[in-house]
Amino acid sequence: MTYDDTNIFARIIRGELPCHKVWEDASTLAFLDIMPMTRGHTLVLPKARATSIYDVSGDDLQATIAIVRRIAMAAKSAFAADGVTIQQFNEAASGQSVFHLHFHILPRWTDVP
Ligand code: AMP
């Protein structure tokens, strides 16, 4: 799949659309999901043009996953979560709807389905 520079996350990265920013550095961005599945649902993405896990560079993936871990631990602490689910979808058939690589971070609590 060819990367589409008009996808919604590309526009957020360029600052053309707003987000509730959780983290930003030279290569990664994290912000709250607009339709949260749990309290604190956060998305972490590389700034580089990558549609999915298939076309991201090793360096960009490494930088992104380090921030995924950092945000997962911060979210667990901030939301007093009992656990953290991490999800990542590739292509529409898997459930991907925004075609810029991203990881979902979902704080979870015991007995909350
Ligand atoms: P996925 O199915 O992995 O492609 O998930 C895309 C996610 O992006 C969904 O959870 C959406 O709620 C979220 N999303 C879509 N548009 C925005 C936006 N403008 N700001 C924050 N999250 C968004």
Side-chain angles (χ1 to χ4, degrees):
M1 172 184 269
T2 310
Y3 186 83
D4 176 1
D5 283 297
T6 66
N7 79 73
I8 201 144
F9 292 172
R11 298 186 66 197
I12 290 173
I13 290 166
R14 289 196 298 267
E16 296 168 5
L17 292 174
C19 69
H20 290 284
K21 198 177 293 180
V22 172
W23 173 271
E24 181 168 22
D25 62 29
S27 54
T28 63
L29 181 66
F31 50 85
L32 296 179
D33 196 291
I34 204 165
M35 290 190 288
M37 289 188 281
T38 70
R39 211 154 53 89
H41 181 174
T42 302
L43 303 173
V44 181
L45 42 144
K47 289 183 176 176
R49 299 163 80 257
T51 58
S52 71
I53 202 86
Y54 309 145
D55 57 339
V56 67
S57 74
D59 284 350
D60 286 320
L61 182 58
Q62 198 172 347
T64 304
I65 205 73
I67 300 306
V68 166
R69 178 173 180 267
R70 188 168 183 148
I71 301 297
M73 293 169 74
K76 177 173 163 56
S77 169
F79 293 97
D82 299 313
V84 178
T85 297
I86 294 171
Q87 291 184 317
Q88 192 273 313
F89 305 106
N90 301 284
E91 302 189 77
S94 79
Q96 186 176 11
S97 63
V98 178
F99 297 99
H100 181 112
L101 173 64
H102 55 279
F103 292 81
H104 296 257
I105 297 179
L106 300 149
R108 304 293 299 271
W109 297 268
T110 306
D111 300 330
V112 179

